[in-house]
Amino acid sequence: LHALLHAQLDALLHAHEQRLHALLDALLHAHEQRLHALFHAHEQRLDALLHAQLHALLHAHEQRLHALLHALLDTLLHAHEQRLHALLHALLDAHEQRLDALLHAHEQ
């Protein structure tokens, strides 16, 4: 009787052990899946945040570059305008002198 009870107890213990093992496996799998989903969600959020920051940075640099190019163009245009102005004055002076010389030659 003792041996029979012992065998039954062993079988019962083994069955409970297997059920507990299966339950722990299922729990572990569920937690693993939940952790994976959480990680994926955080990864996506981080990706979106980094994308937004990169976009803002690019926009700021684009604006700075635009302002810099605008200033450079203004400086260049001003320099060319001054050069052109000086050239026109020199041409006007030369033509004026030529006209004066022609007038003077006609007067004599």
Side-chain angles (χ1 to χ4, degrees):
L1 184 69
H2 184 76
L4 187 68
L5 281 173
H6 200 274
Q8 281 181 338
L9 193 63
D10 267 358
L12 205 67
L13 203 66
H14 185 69
H16 276 291
E17 196 178 331
Q18 281 183 323
R19 226 176 287 152
L20 193 63
H21 197 268
L23 190 68
L24 281 173
D25 267 354
L27 270 171
L28 193 69
H29 186 69
H31 276 290
E32 208 174 284
Q33 282 182 323
R34 209 174 304 156
L35 272 173
H36 188 74
L38 256 170
F39 181 76
H40 188 68
H42 277 289
E43 196 178 18
Q44 280 182 324
R45 234 176 282 154
L46 187 66
D47 194 50
L49 189 71
L50 284 172
H51 191 61
Q53 282 181 337
L54 190 65
H55 190 72
L57 254 170
L58 271 169
H59 187 68
H61 278 290
E62 193 180 7
Q63 281 183 322
R64 237 176 276 157
L65 189 65
H66 187 77
L68 190 70
L69 284 171
H70 194 69
L72 193 66
L73 192 63
D74 271 355
T75 305
L76 262 169
L77 270 168
H78 186 70
H80 279 289
E81 193 180 3
Q82 282 182 321
R83 239 177 272 154
L84 193 62
H85 192 76
L87 190 67
L88 282 172
H89 264 293
L91 275 170
L92 198 64
D93 281 348
H95 277 291
E96 206 176 309
Q97 284 176 352
R98 207 172 304 154
L99 275 172
D100 277 349
L102 275 170
L103 258 162
H104 189 68
H106 273 291
E107 282 175 357
Q108 287 178 354

